[in-house]
Amino acid sequence: MKARPFSVGRIALAVFLAASLQPGDAVAGPLEEIEVAAGFEVSLVAAEPLVMDPVDLDWGPDGKLWVVEMADYPMGMDGQGSRGGRIRVLEDRNQDGTYETSTLFAEGLQTPNGLIVWRDGVLVTACPDVLYLKDTNGDNQADETLKLFSGFGEGNEQHRVNGLRWGLDNWLYLANGDSGGKIVSHQTGEVLELGGFDLKIRPDSGEMEFVSGRTQFGRNRDDWGNWFGCNNPNPIFHFVLDQKYLARNPHFVSPPARRDICTGDSRVYPIGPIISHCDPKFRAIGAIPRFTSACGVIAYRDNLFGSEYENVTFTSEPVYNIVHARKLVPNGVTFESHKLHEGEVEFFRSKDPWSRPAGLRIGPDGALYVADMVREVIEHPEWIADELEKTLDVRSGEELGRIYRIAPVGAPTRPFQSLVELSLHDLVAALESPSGWQRDLVQRMLIWRNDSAAATLLQQLLRNTPMPQARLHALCTLDGLNLLTLDDVLTAMNDSHSGVRRHAVRCTEGFLSQSFDTAQLRGPFTKLVDDEASVRLQLAYTLGEVRSVWTGKLLAELLRQSGGDEYQIAAVMSSLNESNIEDVFTETRRTDRDAAEVPHLAAIAFKMGRSKPVATWISEVPSSPATWDALGLWYDELGSTRGRLKDLLTEKTSAQLQRLIADAREFVRDDSQQPSDRAVATKVLGYGADSYDSDVELLASLLTPQSPPQLQEAAVTTMLRIPHSNVPKQLLLSWSGLTPALRGHIVEGILSREAWIPYLLDVIQRDEIPRNALSLDQAQRLTQHRRREISHQAALLLERVDPDRAAVLKNYQPALALVDAGGRSLERGQMLFRKNCTSCHRLQEQGRNIGPDLHRLLNRSPAALLTAILDPNAAAESKYLQYQVVTVEGQIFTGVLQEETATSVTLGLANGETKTIVRAEIELLKGTNNSLMPVGLEKELSVEQLADLIVYLIDTTSRNQAE
């Protein structure tokens, strides 16, 4: 039974007729087939033909509903990329709660997926552009189209720029979509390489800036300016740190700005028949459903749903026809996110397998509105098996579309008051609304009016309204209008709500011109040092914008109060500069001489050319394991700037430093000392070219069976750091007496220095160590090395992997029959997983999350797993492709690009470790089209072993899903 269009008036009469649903059938979508949370009811407010393929919504100040329709999904109207996206305007003229009038505002757009009402029209994300569609004569039709920003990556339609959400700082925020791009502002000519960041823009001026994190679809915030995003397998991230501030200090490596706050299981609970068109190699038919298309996360910003829904977020999951609700629980400056309703329930779910909730919005009335795209096939053809795709109409349902409203049962309808004709007084008063949508729109409208007479009204609201959200918007609107006074800011810094105080601190940055006396802020800022976590985070950021000597002590106090919280520490470190670093360093050492931050502050001070406090530190510390540990961290963070030590340190300080290191050498030699302390002492060895030979010899002497394992590990780690030609020889001389873990560590370390690789290959060629000392991925790196002589020697020496993946897959097809026959060994499968997979994959508390997390992503069939294991490049997601970093000191690291910040990149390495490299230390960053998972695992696995491994993966994942 195919879905048929139906009118709003007939919806109550619709009946569910599909007694047995088959692939290709669709349910007509009556409300009776939709289940919502207890105490709520759902109504249909618009349907085809008034609306089709809706994916995002916004309301105008007149109450009209603007809808973006991604009608050309997937791959264009004709399957060849022809444009067909639309913008519609819906009207509820009789105010009965349903939209009965539809006007086509614009058409022929390329995959539009996000919009926001703006001045006389709308802004739309239509990759590769952000467009402004303008209505010049008031007929609800676009008369003018302006390209404001262009260059966004045109990847898979599920991975394109989207968003357009209003920020309290008077910027519009965009989600990256995972496709990046080289973005150009047509107004300013500025170009930004988007990379792993999201973006914020000012449409009127053409300004644009990076923002922390990368969101696939749907970046939104709560009332207080906390931003959230998601991607397919994860329903919510929190973007904890602010990119603008992190970029100020290139000498500090911050923790990841994006934090996965989702706790608990990733399972979801649909009620309809699950018809998967996805290639079974990517999602097995019958697999227990887990998040696979999470999108559109939003925070509930109203009071209609009651206090239970304060700090609640919603995420749509169109593959499984649901909307999922979660509760945000504050945890310092971030949150933990828990499923709101216990048990096998969801906030919204439909029995109709064609129901595809894609976009979510909280309406002017406080209800949740769901844009249901209504498609038979929601999977992109890229993920559908070619043979199956031939039997499908991947555009089936293109003429359908629904918009639902979910509200508490019997809740009185909040009457809509048009904002169009309001006086300035009444428009400011409209900020006192429980509706987050209304407050955001009114803030924009006041800025568009640009009437200085609003200042007095907004100042009165800031001081008198009992509603903290309204006080916050008054503050931010004054800031956006450039009408904010210092008295306004000081008033807001004394506000009873921490969210207002937090943004008041941020707003002080607008006053920091050369003529401003920053001493006026010292007292107010000092009072906030003991404030709530979010206020202290912003205070730490803002102090870095104040170039005054008194900021050092406040930053040091904030560092002391951080309690080790990595985000608070990062905010302080981002604010360090040449004018405050000495005071922060000195004050931190005064209050806690052994503070964990001391070596980091010492490194930053030295890089900033402030060697005096570093010299004082070196002159005062005793020879001890704690000192050597701190000095080791300091040396390591100095990186290539270690070459300036002789120039910036006095002769006396240099001599003291050498005495501390000489004491460490003697300590390492002393067998009577604790092995753990001797291991710490090795951290300061090998940092001077004049001691390379002796230090390598000393460390190599520790590589004996008589040395404790932790001392051997420390010796190997330190030796691999020393850029000396004798290191690989000394390490490999001890090969026969080393554990497998140390051998792996040594090989990986040798491969990190190009100059050492020929010696390793020569040793292998002489059969002094076996060829299988190299893992598959290591052998692959060598045969694909950028230096031709290395790749040529490796190709001749190492057994070449058969490049014909199709033949390999054919040869291993019998493994599938063995899986089907049963009787495989789970124990052998687990052993094979531990040996071959745990360096990059995590399963059943084993392994590491460098590659895809198998707990979350493994909805795959045996055939899918066979392909993924033997032909990993066939459909590797871009986020799991190899990148190579070459440092200025000549080290080479290859892995998955896990995180980008303004000052560093983090790679997940093939050995399961992670490596963060400061951008200032990067000589080359280069991506590839290859998966980090190596090709050629068949060289390690027989047909029978592969069957055991597949059975183990499926069995373990199934048990995890069932728990």
Side-chain angles (χ1 to χ4, degrees):
M1 179 184 75
K2 291 291 184 182
R4 296 174 296 159
F6 55 91
S7 69
V8 175
R10 290 166 50 200
I11 184 64
L13 302 177
V15 291
F16 181 55
L17 300 176
S20 60
L21 192 70
Q22 300 297 321
D25 288 348
V27 181
L31 296 181
E32 288 83 355
E33 300 311 311
I34 294 175
E35 178 185 291
V36 293
F40 288 83
E41 59 186 355
V42 59
S43 59
L44 183 70
V45 298
E48 69 280 344
L50 300 183
V51 64
M52 295 174 281
D53 308 302
V55 294
D56 197 15
L57 317 166
D58 194 22
W59 288 262
D62 54 4
K64 294 174 183 176
L65 177 58
W66 295 73
V67 184
V68 60
E69 300 179 341
M70 199 163 72
D72 49 2
Y73 176 83
M75 303 172 67
M77 303 294 286
D78 57 359
Q80 303 298 318
S82 63
R83 303 181 178 193
R86 302 177 293 258
I87 305 297
R88 289 191 186 273
V89 184
L90 304 183
E91 296 180 68
D92 177 13
R93 293 179 177 176
N94 60 9
Q95 297 293 303
D96 66 350
T98 61
Y99 295 90
E100 73 287 337
T101 303
S102 175
T103 303
L104 184 62
F105 181 77
E107 59 183 334
L109 305 178
Q110 180 164 305
T111 56
N113 59 8
L115 89 166
I116 192 170
V117 171
W118 193 263
R119 295 188 181 273
D120 299 319
V122 288
L123 295 167
V124 180
T125 50
C127 190
D129 306 309
V130 173
L131 306 173
Y132 176 40
L133 305 178
K134 188 175 181 180
D135 177 10
T136 61
N137 57 15
D139 63 354
N140 284 341
Q141 293 185 334
D143 308 304
E144 189 176 331
T145 300
L146 299 175
K147 287 186 180 181
L148 302 183
F149 302 88
S150 297
F152 295 95
E154 297 181 65
N156 180 314
E157 288 97 328
Q158 299 173 359
H159 296 269
R160 295 186 173 190
V161 63
N162 59 89
L164 292 169
R165 297 299 186 261
W166 182 248
L168 289 165
D169 57 357
N170 301 295
W171 290 77
L172 280 173
Y173 285 69
L174 298 170
N176 181 306
D178 290 349
S179 293
K182 183 176 287 186
I183 317 305
V184 59
S185 167
H186 292 292
Q187 292 160 277
T188 67
E190 182 183 7
V191 177
L192 289 178
E193 186 72 48
L194 190 53
F197 299 100
D198 286 346
L199 191 71
K200 65 180 182 180
I201 60 174
R202 281 185 165 148
D204 293 343
S205 65
E207 296 171 85
M208 57 182 179
E209 288 184 5
F210 291 135
V211 290
S212 298
R214 182 173 67 183
T215 308
Q216 183 173 328
F217 187 86
R219 180 185 179 111
N220 282 280
R221 64 169 174 83
D222 63 11
D223 279 343
W224 311 109
N226 299 298
W227 286 93
F228 305 94
C230 60
N231 62 17
N232 278 343
N234 194 313
I236 187 165
F237 297 115
H238 177 212
F239 303 114
V240 189
L241 296 173
D242 193 319
Q243 168 66 23
K244 178 182 74 173
Y245 298 112
L246 295 180
R248 298 175 303 186
N249 185 357
H251 308 304
F252 171 69
V253 178
S254 73
R258 186 180 80 173
R259 181 171 182 264
D260 178 354
I261 62 174
C262 184
T263 62
D265 193 11
S266 61
R267 184 171 179 176
V268 294
Y269 298 95
I271 54 174
I274 300 171
I275 301 179
S276 175
H277 304 96
C278 194
D279 190 326
K281 75 176 74 165
F282 305 120
R283 189 187 314 122
I285 295 175
I288 292 177
R290 295 177 180 275
F291 283 108
T292 188
S293 62
C295 61
V297 60
I298 62 169
Y300 185 72
R301 298 178 55 212
D302 211 300
N303 63 4
L304 181 68
F305 285 11
S307 59
E308 181 188 357
Y309 282 79
E310 184 177 353
N311 290 328
V312 163
T313 63
F314 297 102
T315 304
S316 57
E317 175 36 279
V319 164
Y320 294 122
N321 330 115
I322 69 169
V323 175
H324 180 83
R326 303 188 69 82
K327 185 79 169 181
L328 293 170
V329 178
N331 178 16
V333 295
T334 183
F335 302 88
E336 304 296 335
S337 171
H338 305 272
K339 187 172 184 287
L340 180 62
H341 303 109
E342 294 184 1
E344 300 182 7
V345 296
E346 299 291 349
F347 186 78
F348 166 103
R349 52 186 179 177
S350 175
K351 291 181 181 178
D352 180 357
W354 285 29
S355 176
R356 307 297 186 182
L360 305 174
R361 286 280 190 148
I362 309 301
D365 57 355
L368 175 67
Y369 285 75
V370 180
D372 188 347
M373 195 174 181
V374 189
R375 288 292 187 98
E376 178 182 12
V377 181
I378 197 64
E379 298 90 348
H380 192 277
E382 180 180 349
W383 308 109
I384 301 175
D386 293 341
E387 290 304 312
L388 176 61
E389 186 180 345
K390 294 176 183 178
T391 69
L392 296 173
D393 176 5
V394 295
R395 291 183 48 74
S396 181
E398 62 177 304
E399 77 284 1
L400 306 177
R402 318 275 159 80
I403 299 175
Y404 298 107
R405 175 185 184 269
I406 304 172
V409 174
T413 301
R414 182 185 299 162
F416 179 81
Q417 180 185 16
S418 174
L419 304 173
V420 176
E421 302 298 335
L422 292 184
S423 66
L424 184 63
H425 177 278
D426 290 340
L427 191 60
V428 170
L431 287 173
E432 288 188 283
S433 170
S435 167
W437 165 83
Q438 179 166 307
R439 295 193 303 273
D440 287 353
L441 178 56
V442 170
Q443 182 173 336
R444 297 201 300 274
M445 292 175 69
L446 287 166
I447 290 172
W448 297 336
R449 285 196 184 190
N450 196 27
D451 188 342
S452 61
T456 301
L457 298 171
L458 289 166
Q459 289 164 346
Q460 291 173 349
L461 189 67
L462 173 64
R463 288 163 173 78
N464 299 322
T465 179
M467 183 179 181
Q469 291 94 333
R471 298 197 298 271
L472 178 57
H473 278 274
L475 174 73
C476 295
T477 306
L478 284 165
D479 184 40
L481 288 167
N482 295 314
L483 298 174
L484 196 62
T485 68
L486 181 60
D487 187 55
D488 296 332
V489 171
L490 296 177
T491 296
M493 276 198 280
N494 285 300
D495 195 274
S496 60
H497 197 284
S498 61
V500 180
R501 299 195 298 274
R502 167 186 171 186
H503 286 276
V505 173
R506 176 183 61 80
C507 288
T508 62
E509 295 169 16
F511 294 91
L512 301 177
S513 63
Q514 291 184 345
S515 60
F516 180 74
D517 180 8
T518 60
Q520 299 174 79
L521 298 175
R522 184 172 185 175
F525 279 0
T526 301
K527 288 196 296 184
L528 297 178
V529 167
D530 298 316
D531 210 311
E532 294 183 19
S534 63
V535 180
R536 287 187 283 116
L537 185 78
Q538 183 59 55
L539 180 60
Y541 285 145
T542 298
L543 284 169
E545 299 294 302
V546 182
R547 296 299 180 114
S548 299
V549 294
W550 54 265
T551 62
K553 287 189 176 182
L554 293 187
L555 284 167
E557 179 60 19
L558 287 169
L559 196 60
R560 187 186 69 79
Q561 289 204 25
S562 69
D565 181 273
E566 60 179 347
Y567 301 115
Q568 298 281 10
I569 293 171
V572 171
M573 294 295 187
S574 77
S575 286
L576 299 179
N577 53 54
E578 291 81 356
S579 67
N580 63 33
I581 180 61
E582 292 190 48
D583 285 339
V584 176
F585 189 16
T586 301
E587 188 66 19
T588 298
R589 290 196 63 239
R590 187 187 67 80
T591 56
D592 184 0
R593 300 177 69 88
D594 297 321
E597 293 77 29
V598 166
H600 306 295
L601 292 171
I604 293 170
F606 189 84
K607 289 178 179 181
M608 289 181 175
R610 299 297 191 265
S611 58
K612 182 179 178 181
V614 179
T616 302
W617 172 53
I618 292 172
S619 68
E620 293 178 355
V621 293
S623 284
S624 69
T627 292
W628 298 321
D629 190 29
L631 286 174
L633 285 171
W634 174 63
Y635 265 123
D636 186 52
E637 290 195 20
L638 286 180
S640 58
T641 62
R642 286 190 294 271
R644 300 166 55 199
L645 282 172
K646 291 183 178 179
D647 297 330
L648 294 181
L649 294 181
T650 65
E651 185 175 336
K652 180 180 179 181
T653 303
S654 295
Q656 171 62 8
L657 185 58
Q658 291 308 310
R659 280 194 292 273
L660 291 169
I661 296 172
D663 290 345
R665 289 193 185 97
E666 293 305 313
F667 198 90
V668 170
R669 293 189 179 98
D670 188 349
D671 292 341
S672 67
Q673 301 295 339
Q674 289 293 325
S676 58
D677 290 339
R678 294 172 69 196
V680 169
T682 66
K683 292 183 178 183
V684 295
L685 304 188
Y687 280 116
D690 54 351
S691 64
Y692 283 167
D693 286 322
S694 59
D695 283 347
V696 169
E697 183 179 349
L698 170 58
L699 292 165
S701 70
L702 302 176
L703 301 181
T704 67
Q706 293 74 36
S707 293
Q710 66 188 118
L711 189 55
Q712 292 189 58
E713 175 69 27
V716 168
T717 299
T718 300
M719 288 178 73
L720 289 170
R721 175 175 42 74
I722 301 173
H724 191 264
S725 59
N726 199 34
V727 168
K729 179 181 179 180
Q730 290 291 339
L731 286 169
L732 295 177
L733 280 174
S734 304
W735 184 267
S736 62
L738 300 178
T739 63
L742 279 179
R743 290 177 177 182
H745 189 178
I746 288 170
V747 171
E748 187 66 29
I750 291 176
L751 293 182
S752 73
R753 292 191 186 272
E754 200 170 84
W756 292 352
I757 294 175
Y759 183 82
L760 173 65
L761 292 175
D762 289 344
V763 170
I764 294 174
Q765 190 164 13
R766 295 195 300 266
D767 290 326
E768 293 177 15
I769 66 172
R771 285 167 169 77
N772 64 11
L774 297 174
S775 66
L776 280 173
D777 72 272
Q778 290 168 340
Q780 183 172 294
R781 272 186 274 159
L782 287 174
T783 57
Q784 297 176 359
H785 199 276
R786 63 176 184 161
R787 277 183 56 187
R788 186 174 181 181
E789 58 268 32
I790 290 177
S791 63
H792 180 68
Q793 183 182 4
L796 292 175
L797 176 63
L798 304 173
E799 186 176 4
R800 300 281 295 274
V801 173
D802 184 355
D804 187 349
R805 292 293 93 198
V808 171
L809 291 171
K810 182 178 179 180
N811 291 338
Y812 275 76
Q813 288 301 304
L816 300 180
L818 294 176
V819 170
D820 291 339
R824 306 311 305 170
S825 170
L826 293 176
E827 183 177 352
R828 285 197 300 269
Q830 184 179 42
M831 291 175 59
L832 291 165
F833 178 80
R834 287 175 177 170
K835 177 183 176 183
N836 296 287
C837 311
T838 51
S839 63
C840 289
H841 295 286
R842 183 167 180 79
L843 185 63
Q844 196 70 9
E845 305 307 319
Q846 304 173 83
R848 309 190 189 192
N849 283 332
I850 302 299
D853 183 347
L854 302 184
H855 286 112
R856 185 166 285 168
L857 299 180
L858 193 61
N859 287 332
R860 299 191 177 187
S861 66
L865 290 170
L866 184 143
T867 301
I869 292 168
L870 299 181
D871 191 10
N873 294 328
E877 293 184 60
S878 60
K879 60 186 174 183
Y880 297 120
L881 296 180
Q882 287 186 19
Y883 277 78
Q884 188 176 82
V885 171
V886 180
T887 71
V888 295
E889 293 189 308
Q891 288 185 287
I892 303 171
F893 301 99
T894 302
V896 171
L897 189 59
Q898 289 189 321
E899 181 77 19
E900 279 191 274
T901 71
T903 59
S904 67
V905 297
T906 299
L907 294 179
L909 307 182
N911 64 359
E913 299 178 356
T914 59
K915 179 67 178 179
T916 299
I917 306 105
V918 178
R919 289 187 184 274
E921 297 291 328
I922 295 175
E923 180 179 303
L924 173 70
L925 173 64
K926 183 179 180 181
T928 75
N929 293 321
N930 295 324
S931 168
L932 184 66
M933 183 172 172
V935 173
L937 199 58
E938 70 274 7
K939 303 300 180 181
E940 305 291 326
L941 297 172
S942 66
V943 170
E944 292 77 12
Q945 288 175 322
L946 183 57
D948 289 336
L949 177 58
I950 289 173
V951 168
Y952 169 72
L953 292 172
I954 292 175
D955 177 81
T956 305
T957 306
S958 298
R959 284 188 284 108
N960 287 341
Q961 290 175 334
E963 292 174 357

